[in-house]
Amino acid sequence: MSFVAAANPLTCLVAAALAFGFGFLWHRMFEKRWMTAPGYRGKPALKLAPLVIVFIAYFVIAEMLSGLTAHIGGITLANALTNSVLAWAGFVLTTMVVDHSYEARPRKLTLINAGHWLGAFVIMAVVIGLMG
């Protein structure tokens, strides 16, 4: 299956929407710890433009996970979950740890953000694996 055939826009829109919702809830659940870890004092206003950018980023990630899964072994739930966890651990987590280390960010922030991205990747993988 080609990358273009695997990157089903409807599946990836659903995956992105669910991951976006999860991200919103995750950050609300850890809001106080997430905001105070980097030293912020106030709560940022929710503006539309940054949220649109975040949704587009989730959509691109979902498209890439779908394409990678199709390319590596075919779209199944097991393959999608395996590829998403490996992509998260190999690229997202490691990049975040390096950035947070250089920036001297608190480990608490790294753990909160890493948990968010793991959850988002797993949610997208489940949608991709089930909807193909």
Side-chain angles (χ1 to χ4, degrees), residues 65 79-91 93 118 121-122 125:
L65 283 175
N79 286 348
L81 284 168
T82 300
N83 291 331
S84 71
V85 170
L86 290 174
W88 170 81
F91 299 111
L93 179 62
L118 177 60
F121 270 59
V122 168

Side-chain angles (χ1 to χ4, degrees), residues 26 88 92-93 96-97 100 108-120:
W26 180 269
W88 170 81
V92 177
L93 179 62
M96 191 181 329
V97 167
H100 285 198
K108 179 170 53 172
L109 180 63
T110 306
L111 292 172
I112 291 169
N113 288 344
H116 156 250
W117 282 113
L118 177 60

Side-chain angles (χ1 to χ4, degrees), residues 14 24 26 31 42 75 111:
V14 171
F24 184 83
W26 180 269
E31 184 173 34
I75 296 181
L111 292 172

Side-chain angles (χ1 to χ4, degrees), residues 1-9 12 63 66-68 70-71 75 132:
M1 179 182 287
S2 73
F3 175 78
V4 174
N8 180 339
C12 293
E63 288 281 357
S66 180
L68 285 170
H71 179 71
I75 296 181

